[in-house]
Amino acid sequence: MNGPPQSSLTGLPCRGHNLDGMGKSKGQNARRAGRKVRVDFRANRNQPSRAKDWTRLHRDGQEIETSAVENVATKGDLSRKRTVIVSEDRTADGEHLVGTVIALRGQFAEVDDGQRVQLCTIRRVLRTRLIHQRAPVTVGDRVQFHPASDATGEGVIEKVEPRRSELIRFAGRREHVVAANIDQAMIVSSADLPPPKPHLIDRYIISALAGRMRPVVCMNKIDLDAGGQARQIAAMYASIGYGGICTSAASGEGIDAFREVFHGKSTVLAGQSGVGKSSLLNAVQPGLGLRVGDICEETAKGRHTTTTAQLLRLEIGAYVVDTPGVRSFDVTMIPAGQIEQFFEEFVPFIPDCKFADCTHRHETGCAVKQAVESGAIHPLRHESYTRLYDERFDVQSTMNR
Ligand code: GDP
Ligand code: ZN
């Protein structure tokens, strides 16, 4: 779903919300005196760099080259230098600002330091050093940068801090880091239209955990839960520690609890098309107009998808990842033998399995299966596990052929 074109600069202006650790500006009254430095010159640089012009580019429906990996791998267009002015007092003493990359535009990054959003290039030496990484700079990265001077309007990213987490999209065997340092994945399902699919929810949970994000399950359209089945599923996830909030964007039920989950964190939304992700976000902040990535069971094969996301700042002091291209959180890259680790409530029982290499499906003396029988593990979760295990086994045997 593509909403109206929106630049994160013009679409959602900074209002000075400070999230934890964001925006360590050294003060806005810094001297404007400048120093000349040499930075990368991008050949064929015919795209205007002003926010209103990017908006125009979006509106015209042009594809903007956004793959950082491809950009750093390209030779030739990085080989020239040009001189820009950067603020003297922030470079001479080695001090940088710290900010969060909220969007990538070609070889530029939009960096939010909590005060304002600045357009930055990425220092050549940094690109070169990080060239073998999957994505040297991605949305959500915490970076140190020299701020832009008035003369150029561009800052320079000097350093990328280590990532806490990565949101990865798999396309075949290729991995794309869609976003970094996202705290949690809000996994939205619905009581009906479409009916809840715990197996699908579990796939999202695993990919969230694999990317070191906290999974939070939300059952929306709870106004349609006449039989109480969705509430039971929510309770199951709550007992494992994955939220389990029930909402209705239609009636307003649970919206306060939903909003509270976002507070002070960065969140990616996941869930099938039609479950109500846009409606929920609209209830949190009217007019957000997010292009939420719908999740399809099939992968993005054959479909053109962009690999970058955007961070949008909510008025409540939170970031939401806008992921137009993330259509599938594929978990097929996790080896079958490692799936058990991602069913966190299984883990305490595993040492008691009779066989060290127990797969918890049909072995005798399996402590996990016993826990299912005693009610300590929900049968739906065990069903998800065996299904994922079998799928993975099929995939791996196909790949080895
Ligand atoms: P998305 O594809 O996940 O972003 O879902 P949308 O937000 O576009 O919602 C899909 C449909 O479900 C729309 O027709 C909404 O009006 C409807 N919808 C969303 N939330 C609720 C809800 O809580 N209750 C009911 N009954 N319908 C809802
Ligand atoms: Zn076992």
Side-chain angles (χ1 to χ4, degrees):
M1 176 175 34
N2 282 319
Q6 188 175 39
S7 155
S8 53
L9 273 179
T10 53
L12 202 72
C14 263
R15 303 224 177 105
H17 301 289
N18 251 330
L19 301 182
D20 281 351
M22 293 177 184
K24 289 177 186 153
S25 172
K26 305 285 180 206
Q28 287 177 298
N29 300 327
R31 248 181 331 121
R32 289 294 180 193
R35 181 171 69 92
K36 286 180 181 176
V37 295
R38 303 278 284 164
V39 298
D40 299 334
F41 183 89
R42 200 158 64 101
N44 304 323
R45 188 169 167 267
N46 51 13
Q47 288 177 6
S49 59
R50 286 186 171 275
K52 63 176 161 68
D53 294 329
W54 304 338
T55 312
R56 183 181 56 76
L57 282 173
H58 277 276
R59 200 168 49 233
D60 294 348
Q62 293 180 26
E63 271 308 316
I64 298 173
E65 175 51 66
T66 47
S67 165
V69 175
E70 281 167 27
N71 287 341
V72 296
T74 304
K75 283 182 183 152
D77 61 347
L78 290 177
S79 59
R80 290 159 66 192
K81 295 276 181 189
R82 70 201 154 98
T83 303
V84 299
I85 315 289
V86 296
S87 299
E88 174 78 319
D89 44 354
R90 283 167 177 155
T91 55
D93 59 8
E95 273 196 297
H96 306 114
L97 295 187
V98 178
T100 302
V101 175
I102 61 166
L104 295 175
R105 309 275 175 208
Q107 296 187 23
F108 295 90
E110 288 178 25
V111 180
D112 181 357
D113 68 4
Q115 308 281 338
R116 61 188 179 125
V117 177
Q118 299 188 39
L119 192 61
C120 293
T121 57
I122 299 153
R123 188 173 282 293
R124 173 84 186 271
V125 65
L126 185 65
R127 284 183 186 279
T128 311
R129 202 184 318 139
L130 299 176
I131 202 160
H132 297 300
Q133 289 192 11
R134 287 180 295 208
V137 177
T138 195
V139 169
D141 268 328
R142 299 275 296 155
V143 296
Q144 291 181 14
F145 69 103
H146 287 300
S149 75
D150 287 347
T152 64
E154 288 162 19
V156 183
I157 293 175
E158 299 286 344
K159 196 172 173 220
V160 182
E161 295 182 1
R163 289 172 189 159
R164 294 194 308 276
S165 69
E166 286 183 338
L167 176 61
I168 294 168
R169 186 173 72 82
F170 295 102
R173 291 203 199 183
R174 288 187 58 193
E175 292 181 12
H176 298 285
V177 182
V178 175
N181 301 328
I182 306 305
D183 298 305
Q184 55 191 4
M186 176 69 86
I187 298 158
V188 182
S189 185
S190 55
D192 202 0
L193 306 170
K197 296 194 186 90
H199 173 65
L200 191 53
I201 295 171
D202 287 330
R203 293 174 76 105
Y204 301 146
I205 289 173
I206 291 170
S207 60
L209 292 171
R212 283 187 250 128
M213 291 172 276
R214 188 174 87 101
V216 182
V217 175
C218 168
M219 275 289 164
N220 188 41
K221 306 197 190 182
I222 207 69
D223 53 296
L224 305 179
D225 189 33
Q229 191 208 3
R231 284 188 200 275
Q232 278 175 24
I233 293 171
M236 171 179 86
Y237 289 113
S239 74
I240 310 168
Y242 299 150
I245 43 177
C246 295
T247 58
S248 169
S251 77
E253 181 183 344
I255 296 300
D256 286 346
F258 180 81
R259 186 187 290 118
E260 193 50 42
V261 176
F262 287 83
H263 199 265
K265 299 205 171 70
S266 54
T267 306
V268 62
L269 269 91
Q272 276 179 289
S273 183
V275 294
K277 298 180 295 297
S278 313
S279 307
L280 284 168
L281 281 169
N282 216 39
V284 168
Q285 183 168 321
L288 195 59
L290 212 64
R291 299 165 299 164
V292 177
D294 295 329
I295 311 294
C296 300
E297 259 294 55
E298 78 266 31
T299 59
K301 235 178 268 168
R303 216 181 265 141
H304 177 80
T305 52
T306 170
T307 56
T308 54
Q310 275 189 64
L311 284 181
L312 298 184
R313 196 195 277 267
L314 299 185
E315 282 164 6
I316 55 169
Y319 279 125
V320 176
V321 188
D322 184 9
T323 54
V326 180
R327 303 191 70 87
S328 148
F329 288 91
D330 198 346
V331 293
T332 54
M333 301 310 273
I334 299 169
Q338 286 177 25
I339 295 172
E340 61 181 28
Q341 296 165 24
F342 295 102
F343 283 79
E344 293 184 285
E345 77 276 31
F346 293 14
V347 171
F349 298 100
I350 292 170
D352 296 331
C353 291
K354 186 174 168 191
F355 303 108
D357 59 352
C358 185
T359 66
H360 326 301
R361 295 173 305 152
H362 35 60
E363 291 88 344
T364 51
C366 171
V368 171
K369 282 202 307 174
Q370 282 160 16
V372 175
E373 275 151 34
S374 75
I377 290 174
H378 201 289
L380 280 177
R381 290 275 290 169
H382 187 250
E383 204 181 299
S384 279
Y385 166 82
T386 50
R387 206 167 142 180
L388 273 168
Y389 188 100
D390 293 342
E391 269 173 31
R392 200 65 60 264
F393 190 76
D394 289 345
V395 167
Q396 276 158 15
S397 51
T398 311
M399 273 161 46
N400 292 336
R401 243 175 249 153

